[in-house]
Amino acid sequence: MKTDKSFISLRARILLAVGSCLITLMIAELSLRLWMPTLGSDLFSPTSASKNPAESPFLYNDRIGYELKPFAIVESRDRDGSPAMERLNRDGFRGPEYVIPKPANTFRILAVGDSVVQGLNVAFEQTWEQVLERELNRRVGQSSSISRYEVINAGIGGYVSWQALVRLQDRGLKYNPDLVVVLVGWNDLIYSALPEWTPGIDLSKIERAHWKPREAQRREGLWRRIRLSVYRVSYIARLVRQARNRAWNARRVQALIRERQKPSGLAFNERALAIYVQTLEQIYRVTKSHGARMGLIVWPTILSPELLDDPDIHRRLVPIYTNFPLSTRELWEWYLRYIEAQRQFARAHPDIVLIDVAAAFADKGKEERLRMFPDLAHLTVEGNRALAEVIRDVLIDRGVIQ
């Protein structure tokens, strides 16, 4: 009888423990659903691979690789930095429709280049083009017949120099710009470090090079469906996933940062740089043949000689480390080669307006750079404002703006 009572008591304790665990899990599940309703919502949003191609904002063709559709809707930012959707104009530019032909007494600046020109990481009115436009329009009526300044943003993220040239020819010159400001080259540099680099490379070709075989997609798809089934019914599973991913990502990032402090052993791609300079020459000739002047921005960066070993800077470079093989010092050394080529190119053409932002930012310390750059080359709101001020001052000093 005593044994039976002991057995019953043990069973009761087990049932009580199991019941307590279940109640705790139920309370935890309900609490997560109440206080963290968006937990794991990224799991159920459509991926770029699963979206209908008709919904993509991009058009693909052999002439330019890719460009934005007329009136495409793209993700940008509100003034407070939160995600926002933005409709582009008929040429896939950020901003309003611009009158063709150019109105009398209007001075037009056309900015062509990559994502630093496009600036989707800030609100449209916070881009350097819009800051510059406002700054210049404050000068209207001071000493010239110009009644309005317009700065048109024709940039597209991921573009290399040859694409900026084609975009200028196909979409930009019809606006009759007085000045074409070119800020492009970072992608020429980093793509040139890839094993699949060839002349004429662009981002769409790089993406195709990394597509997974169908069999691998099928295996990944089956495992993903199993996991999604669990995540759909359990917020606790979603929380475990989030904690696991954060821990894994932290370890991965630290390992990647350590790896990118070692030389890759890659030889500098001289041919890519030569092609870049040749393309600048083509942009210069096309611009000049249409009666406009060329402005060339020597691109700034978060890097400086004093910060190459700084861990905070390294963390800002993780997106570059993830996708490209160059070490921090190699990035800096290759960058110096490119910006010196820009300066030499401008010296060979004295009518080019050289806007040496790299030199203007040279004395910026670590804290300023961290405030101005979210990564290697893109600009924050403060960075866009600083860039616009440098351009304004150069245009005034060179007599481009009266």
Side-chain angles (χ1 to χ4, degrees):
M1 184 67 66
K2 185 174 181 180
T3 303
D4 290 345
K5 286 184 178 180
S6 299
F7 176 75
I8 292 170
S9 177
L10 175 62
R11 185 171 63 181
R13 286 198 299 271
I14 292 172
L15 290 173
L16 180 62
V18 171
S20 298
C21 288
L22 290 174
I23 291 171
T24 301
L25 287 172
M26 288 175 62
I27 293 173
E29 182 73 26
L30 290 172
S31 299
L32 287 172
R33 290 174 181 267
L34 179 64
W35 297 109
M36 302 177 70
T38 61
L39 178 65
S41 58
D42 60 299
L43 287 161
F44 310 108
S45 60
T47 63
S48 58
S50 64
K51 288 180 181 176
N52 187 332
E55 299 173 0
S56 168
F58 294 103
L59 291 169
Y60 296 88
N61 58 67
D62 291 337
R63 174 165 170 77
I64 199 168
Y66 65 96
E67 61 181 333
L68 286 158
K69 294 176 181 176
F71 311 112
I73 296 175
V74 297
E75 184 174 325
S76 60
R77 291 291 182 270
D78 276 329
R79 290 186 64 87
D80 62 1
S82 59
M85 303 310 293
E86 179 180 334
R87 183 179 292 277
L88 306 178
N89 72 11
R90 64 188 173 199
D91 280 307
F93 298 172
R94 294 188 76 180
E97 299 294 340
Y98 296 92
V99 177
I100 299 174
K102 180 179 62 180
N105 302 320
T106 297
F107 190 99
R108 259 187 190 161
I109 300 173
L110 177 72
V112 295
D114 52 31
S115 53
V116 183
V117 174
Q118 191 178 31
L120 287 175
N121 61 308
V122 298
F124 173 66
E125 61 269 25
Q126 295 170 326
T127 60
W128 60 264
E129 294 92 341
Q130 284 300 290
V131 176
L132 177 62
E133 183 176 285
R134 291 192 295 271
E135 288 287 320
L136 296 180
N137 278 313
R138 291 193 183 101
R139 301 178 60 83
V140 167
Q142 291 185 14
S143 59
S144 75
S145 60
I146 299 299
S147 61
R148 177 172 172 74
Y149 291 94
E150 293 177 342
V151 185
I152 301 176
N153 181 337
I156 293 191
Y159 264 21
V160 290
S161 54
W162 73 263
Q163 291 174 297
L165 168 63
V166 175
R167 191 156 174 79
L168 171 64
Q169 293 170 315
D170 291 358
R171 304 284 183 182
L173 291 173
K174 65 185 178 184
Y175 290 96
N176 307 118
D178 299 281
L179 177 70
V180 175
V181 174
V182 180
L183 197 171
V184 72
W186 264 120
N187 294 318
D188 294 73
L189 185 161
I190 57 178
Y191 296 172
S192 75
L194 294 173
E196 60 265 36
W197 180 88
T198 58
I201 195 169
D202 72 82
L203 185 58
S204 66
K205 297 181 181 68
I206 294 171
E207 289 174 341
R208 284 198 291 271
H210 292 289
W211 283 349
K212 293 181 180 177
R214 225 169 247 194
E215 185 59 36
Q217 290 180 9
R218 224 175 358 251
R219 287 195 300 269
E220 186 180 89
L222 174 62
W223 175 233
R224 178 176 172 80
R225 285 195 297 274
I226 294 170
R227 286 180 295 155
L228 283 178
S229 298
V230 176
Y231 295 140
R232 283 187 191 281
V233 299
S234 173
Y235 272 53
I236 292 175
R238 297 184 193 186
L239 185 65
V240 170
R241 166 187 175 266
Q242 183 183 80
R244 181 203 65 202
N245 286 351
R246 284 179 177 174
W248 184 85
N249 285 337
R251 290 195 299 271
R252 181 186 65 84
V253 164
Q254 288 305 314
L256 183 62
I257 288 173
R258 287 194 299 271
E259 182 65 25
R260 289 296 182 264
Q261 306 323 303
K262 304 171 187 175
S264 70
L266 288 172
F268 181 78
N269 194 328
E270 299 281 358
R271 190 179 178 196
L273 177 57
I275 292 171
Y276 172 69
V277 174
Q278 290 167 10
T279 308
L280 290 182
E281 181 69 37
Q282 290 177 278
I283 293 173
Y284 169 72
R285 292 184 183 280
V286 167
T287 299
K288 193 171 181 179
S289 69
H290 282 75
R293 197 169 177 184
M294 178 178 172
L296 180 61
I297 295 179
V298 180
W299 6 293
T301 176
I302 195 172
L303 293 173
S304 72
E306 301 78 19
L307 299 175
L308 296 180
D309 297 317
D310 191 285
D312 294 326
I313 300 297
H314 295 164
R315 280 189 283 274
R316 296 286 174 96
L317 299 182
V318 167
I320 292 292
Y321 291 158
T322 301
N323 295 296
F324 301 97
L326 296 177
S327 70
T328 307
R329 290 186 179 276
E330 287 168 335
L331 276 170
W332 176 248
E333 291 163 1
W334 289 33
Y335 165 75
L336 293 178
R337 294 284 301 273
Y338 270 78
I339 65 171
E340 182 54 32
Q342 289 180 301
R343 290 164 178 156
Q344 290 178 7
F345 177 76
R347 284 195 289 269
H349 301 286
D351 56 326
I352 288 178
V353 182
L354 183 68
I355 306 166
D356 199 335
V357 185
F361 285 9
D363 62 347
K364 304 290 185 187
K366 174 182 173 179
E367 295 308 316
E368 280 185 287
R369 289 178 184 273
L370 289 173
R371 291 197 305 269
M372 292 168 61
F373 296 92
D375 52 35
L376 177 68
H378 296 103
L379 296 165
T380 62
V381 173
E382 183 176 334
N384 273 275
R385 187 167 56 248
L387 174 57
E389 290 169 356
V390 172
I391 297 172
R392 176 203 61 197
D393 293 345
V394 171
L395 296 184
I396 294 170
D397 289 345
R398 291 288 301 269
V400 178
I401 301 298
Q402 300 300 319

